[in-house]
Amino acid sequence: MAKNKTVLILGLALTILVMGQSLWAGGQSNSSKTTTIGRVVFDMSHPYQQADNACSEALAKSLNVNYIYIDGKSDAEAQANGVTDLISRRVSGIIVQPLDGAAIQPSIDEAIQAKIPIVTFYQQPVKKNVPTVMIDEASSSKALGALAAKKWQEWYPNKPIKIAIIDQPDVAFVIENRSDAFIAGVKSVVPNAEVVARIDGKGRRDTSMAAGDDLLQSHPEANVIFGINDDSSLGCLAAYEAGGRGKAVNGIPQTELIAGCGGTESEMLKVFDPASALKMTMALSARANGEALVDTVMKIINGQIPREGETIITTQNKIIDFYNMSIDDGQKFLTDEFKSTINLRKEIGVR
């Protein structure tokens, strides 16, 4: 009898041990199956990038998906290293907005080899071998340029248009889809409009302010100016304001019309200020873009979109201007797309 009890106790102990090991293994297995999206953000110093990334993170969390991000710092090497880091962490999927399609290609290929889905944003790798979320910016930039030309003609029909761009020549996609498209839009209305300057603002506020000061000194005749992002337009405007220009009266620019790209709080405050020469922008839809990125990578993970090959998901920008949109509509855009809590009317001081 004692022998049988010993066998029974040993048997129970063995069963409990096996069950415990099985439960532990099951816990490890469930943990390893947790979906994690890793993102290399183009540059977290930019307000748009901050808002876009926050919208990606919010959607991921609503789906019970882990979300981590790395700052790409507007640097091709940092972005490539960021992708490599995420691969080493064995994330479930990767999002990257590359500065350069050629520089990011080895990291794209590394992700493919590791069987980790990867999505590029705004710019494709040179092989065009993974899905990309693309903003249809060329058509919006052209429409913005056309609007700028029409308004200038309306105000100053006898003043020839002199175009200047606060540019970013090291980003080919920006040149093609923002700068060149804006110029094409102006010339679609005024064919003899002249481009007098394209100055590198490097997409940053401080360098764009220096570029604006250079433009003001070297080409004071420039009267339709386009900044390729919000830091470019705002930096240029700051330089002009410091030089006694960049002003408007009741929404009519006195010496130059400035157009931008971004639609962030700082830009919108100037667009709807009747005294500012920055009067229109091609606004980026932070929520729409941020959510499209997470949605796309999740569809790849779930087998709804092929991991490899040229799949394009297109999003749209929105033209916001002082003349065709109310300040309340501008407020709604900021709230919906940037989760902004700013009160435009109160900040600008208009009723």
Side-chain angles (χ1 to χ4, degrees):
M1 179 67 71
K3 183 178 180 180
N4 288 340
K5 283 184 178 179
T6 301
V7 171
L8 180 60
I9 290 169
L10 288 172
L12 285 170
L14 181 61
T15 300
I16 291 170
L17 177 62
V18 170
M19 286 178 65
Q21 289 177 331
S22 177
L23 287 170
W24 180 84
Q28 287 293 97
S29 176
N30 288 339
S31 175
S32 67
K33 289 181 180 178
T34 298
T35 302
T36 298
I37 293 174
R39 180 173 176 182
V40 181
V41 183
F42 184 79
D43 192 326
M44 282 297 289
S45 70
H46 291 174
Y48 166 77
Q49 302 288 337
Q50 295 166 14
D52 168 306
N53 184 59
C55 291
S56 286
E57 185 171 19
L59 178 57
K61 286 185 176 179
S62 74
L63 299 172
N64 294 318
V65 170
N66 292 336
Y67 184 89
I68 55 178
Y69 67 88
I70 295 170
D71 187 355
K73 300 179 179 179
S74 293
D75 181 81
E77 184 177 359
Q79 292 162 4
N81 290 339
V83 172
T84 299
D85 182 17
L86 293 172
I87 292 170
S88 69
R89 297 193 204 187
R90 299 301 302 172
V91 296
S92 311
I94 297 172
I95 299 165
V96 59
Q97 181 182 342
L99 175 70
D100 182 83
I104 202 65
Q105 188 66 61
S107 300
I108 298 291
D109 294 339
E110 185 182 354
I112 291 173
Q113 187 173 8
K115 300 188 184 305
I116 297 176
I118 186 165
V119 174
T120 57
F121 177 40
Y122 194 72
Q123 180 153 247
Q124 294 177 284
V126 288
K127 290 183 183 178
K128 300 181 179 179
N129 56 340
V130 292
T132 300
V133 174
M134 299 281 282
I135 307 173
D136 180 17
E137 288 200 334
S139 59
S140 297
S141 295
K142 186 173 182 179
L144 185 69
L147 175 62
K150 288 174 184 176
K151 295 308 294 184
W152 190 262
Q153 276 196 321
E154 176 186 322
W155 303 320
Y156 305 109
N158 297 319
K159 287 186 179 180
I161 291 180
K162 307 291 184 180
I163 307 168
I165 310 290
I166 305 300
D167 227 331
Q168 192 173 9
D170 62 340
V171 184
F173 194 88
V174 165
I175 295 294
E176 180 181 353
N177 292 277
R178 292 187 184 180
S179 308
D180 288 351
F182 180 86
I183 293 168
V186 173
K187 291 194 170 190
S188 71
V189 176
V190 182
N192 63 347
E194 180 186 359
V195 179
V196 297
R198 297 181 70 155
I199 303 176
D200 185 6
K202 302 186 184 303
R204 300 198 302 268
R205 187 79 61 93
D206 57 346
T207 46
S208 292
M209 186 172 179
D213 186 58
D214 181 11
L215 177 62
L216 186 55
Q217 300 304 317
S218 60
H219 291 282
E221 76 279 13
N223 50 32
V224 173
I225 303 169
F226 175 61
I228 57 89
N229 65 4
D230 57 329
D231 279 338
S232 300
S233 61
L234 291 166
C236 178
L237 177 64
Y240 271 64
E241 289 175 337
R245 287 178 49 171
K247 299 176 181 179
V249 175
N250 295 324
I252 300 177
Q254 299 300 285
T255 49
E256 57 279 318
L257 166 65
I258 300 176
C261 175
T264 55
E265 289 179 347
S266 298
E267 209 175 37
M268 298 282 269
L269 285 168
K270 292 296 185 179
V271 167
F272 288 102
D273 182 352
S276 170
L278 174 51
K279 290 271 76 63
M280 57 186 66
T281 185
M282 181 177 70
L284 303 172
S285 301
R287 180 179 59 82
N289 293 332
E291 291 183 355
L293 289 166
V294 171
D295 180 65
T296 301
V297 79
M298 288 301 297
K299 283 181 177 177
I300 301 173
I301 291 170
N302 294 327
Q304 297 168 277
I305 294 176
R307 292 189 180 192
E308 298 181 51
E310 187 180 16
T311 300
I312 303 293
I313 291 83
T314 303
T315 62
Q316 300 290 329
N317 288 334
K318 185 178 183 66
I319 293 178
I320 292 177
D321 70 283
F322 182 84
Y323 314 101
N324 299 295
M325 177 178 280
S326 71
I327 192 170
D328 293 328
D329 288 337
Q331 181 74 64
K332 187 177 186 305
F333 176 86
L334 276 180
T335 302
D336 291 348
E337 295 296 332
F338 285 83
K339 302 182 186 300
S340 173
T341 59
I342 196 171
N343 186 317
L344 287 177
R345 286 186 179 275
K346 182 178 179 181
E347 294 293 329
I348 295 170
V350 298
R351 294 185 178 184

